[in-house]
């Protein structure tokens, strides 16, 4: 597994050498941009419209717009000077309970593994999190960006790390249109809705769920390779139900009918036992 970052967790006065690995990977099938006439690969080119020329990487600087065509500019060296000095440390700033963190704040998941040396400190830190039932909140400088991160024990032998948004990056819920605190809910509708929730609970194994679009594209690729034409499947029009109560009643019946075979199987097992 490729090491993304190498450093240490600062845990009080304890120094925990660690390595960071990506816990997830994109499984999207990459399709290249091609020229229809000759199938040549289309290249993205950095181009300056003011000069009308292509621009090499070394001729590019960064700028913050302050007015039309006016920028405060920065060289790479200037940006490096304002980076956090502790770029090789994850500085712990707090320990919190799991229910204190909102999932909206989390970004990307990583595995945090022990370095070649210092594994005792790593497993001590992991056990402290596990025993205290706490998550560690820290700051991590990754690719020149200082990020908040949260760490939690995983499977008893690994630490999972997730980068987090800062509070000012979360849009206020008041921006969402049509929200109301005074909506009245019909008790019969709520009862039926809760039956649907109960009937559909615990039936899915998240680990076994796959991306249907990815599977269809992979099948289309194989069909093309085999010289077959792609045949579109007929679309099934959803039944339009105007009445909410009617929709709930039909949904309850559907959830009950889907759960019957499993209940029969369970009863058979009980009789056999």
């Amino acid at each position: 597994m490729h090491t993304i970052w190498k450093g240490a967790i600062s845990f009080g006065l304890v120094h925990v050498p660690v390595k960071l690995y990506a816990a997830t990977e994109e499984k999207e099938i990459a399709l290249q941009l091609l020229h229809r006439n000759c199938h040549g690969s289309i290249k993205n080119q950095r181009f300056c419209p003011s000069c009308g020329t292509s621009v090499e990487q070394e001729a590019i600087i960064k700028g913050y717009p302050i007015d039309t065509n006016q920028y405060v500019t920065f060289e790479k060296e200037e940006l490096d000077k304002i980076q956090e000095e502790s770029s090789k440390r994850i500085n712990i700033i707090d320990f919190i309970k799991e229910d204190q963190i909102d999932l909206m704040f989390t970004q990307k998941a990583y595995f945090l593994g022990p370095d070649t040396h210092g594994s005792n400190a790593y497993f001590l830190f992991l056990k402290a999190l596990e025993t205290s039932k706490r998550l560690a909140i820290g700051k991590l400088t990754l690719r020149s960006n200082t990020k908040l991160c949260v760490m939690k024990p995983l499977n008893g032998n690994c630490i999972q790390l997730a980068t987090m948004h800062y509070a000012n990056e979360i849009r206020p819920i008041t921006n969402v249109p049509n929200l109301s605190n005074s909506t009245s809910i019909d008790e019969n509708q709520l009862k039926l809705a809760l039956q649907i929730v109960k009937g559909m609970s615990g039936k899915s194994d998240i680990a076994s769920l796959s991306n249907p679009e990815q599977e269809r594209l992979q099948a289309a690729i194989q069909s093309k390779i085999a010289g077959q034409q792609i045949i579109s499947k007929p679309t099934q029009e959803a039944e339009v139900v105007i009445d909410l109560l009617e929709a709930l009643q039909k949904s309850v019946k559907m959830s009950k009918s889907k759960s019957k075979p499993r209940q029969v199987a369970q009863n058979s097992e009980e009789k056999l036992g």
Side-chain angles (χ1 to χ4, degrees):
M1 192 176 285
H2 175 67
T3 302
I4 293 174
W5 179 91
K6 180 179 178 180
I9 300 172
S10 290
F11 170 42
L13 297 177
V14 179
H15 188 75
V16 186
V18 291
K19 292 181 178 180
L20 193 70
Y21 308 92
T24 61
E25 58 180 332
E26 296 296 332
K27 290 292 188 179
E28 290 186 11
I29 300 171
L31 298 178
Q32 294 187 10
L33 297 177
L34 303 176
H35 186 196
R36 185 191 300 276
N37 295 339
C38 66
H39 288 184
S41 296
I42 303 300
K43 303 296 182 184
N44 290 325
Q45 197 172 37
R46 291 182 172 89
F47 182 80
C48 176
S50 297
C51 303
T53 58
S54 298
V55 182
E56 298 297 328
Q57 179 63 43
E58 56 269 17
I60 296 175
I61 59 173
K62 293 186 177 180
Y64 179 83
I66 55 175
D67 204 345
T68 305
N69 294 328
Q70 287 189 321
Y71 299 87
V72 175
T73 61
F74 291 93
E75 299 287 345
K76 182 182 181 302
E77 294 75 16
E78 293 176 309
L79 292 173
D80 289 342
K81 287 179 182 178
I82 61 176
Q83 296 300 320
E84 293 254 353
E85 292 182 8
S86 55
S87 60
K88 291 298 178 183
R89 285 203 308 272
I90 301 174
N91 292 311
I92 304 297
I93 56 179
D94 201 357
F95 291 94
I96 64 172
K97 293 181 179 179
E98 191 161 359
D99 60 5
Q100 289 180 266
I101 190 166
D102 192 330
L103 290 176
M104 188 180 294
F105 281 85
T106 57
Q107 289 179 318
K108 188 172 181 180
Y110 298 88
F111 294 130
L112 199 60
D115 203 345
T116 310
H117 306 289
S119 60
N120 287 343
Y122 174 89
F123 290 109
L124 172 64
F125 180 67
L126 189 156
K127 194 64 177 177
L129 292 177
E130 200 171 56
T131 305
S132 64
K133 296 182 179 178
R134 290 289 193 275
L135 307 180
I137 303 294
K139 282 190 174 182
L140 163 70
T141 303
L142 190 62
R143 300 188 183 98
S144 300
N145 291 316
T146 301
K147 296 179 175 290
L148 285 175
C149 62
V150 58
M151 287 156 279
K152 65 176 289 185
L154 188 66
N155 294 340
N157 64 350
C158 185
I159 296 173
Q160 178 183 318
L161 180 147
T163 52
M164 300 170 61
H165 291 287
Y166 287 96
N168 65 352
E169 295 174 330
I170 305 296
R171 292 177 174 176
I173 194 172
T174 51
N175 288 356
V176 181
N178 304 322
L179 294 182
S180 174
N181 294 323
S182 58
T183 304
S184 59
I185 302 297
D186 182 276
E187 289 299 322
N188 289 329
Q189 292 178 357
L190 178 60
K191 186 177 179 180
L192 290 170
L194 291 174
Q195 286 185 45
I196 298 169
V197 171
K198 184 178 179 181
M200 295 180 66
S201 296
K203 292 184 178 180
S204 298
D205 177 12
I206 295 179
S208 67
L209 298 179
S210 57
N211 186 334
E213 294 175 358
Q214 197 176 98
E215 291 175 348
R216 287 196 296 269
L217 180 55
Q218 187 64 58
I221 290 171
Q222 295 303 319
S223 294
K224 286 268 190 177
I225 292 173
Q228 299 171 359
Q229 292 296 318
I230 298 174
I231 301 173
S232 59
K233 295 180 180 178
T235 55
Q236 295 181 345
E237 293 186 6
E239 182 183 356
V240 179
V241 182
I242 304 298
D243 185 74
L244 179 57
L245 184 62
E246 183 186 350
L248 289 166
Q249 290 170 338
K250 287 186 176 183
S251 298
V252 169
K253 289 179 181 178
M254 287 173 60
S255 63
K256 284 182 178 178
S257 64
K258 287 181 180 178
S259 61
K260 279 182 181 178
R262 188 172 68 172
Q263 291 172 350
V264 170
Q266 288 174 343
N267 291 336
S268 300
E269 287 174 5
E270 289 171 2
K271 289 178 181 178
L272 289 170

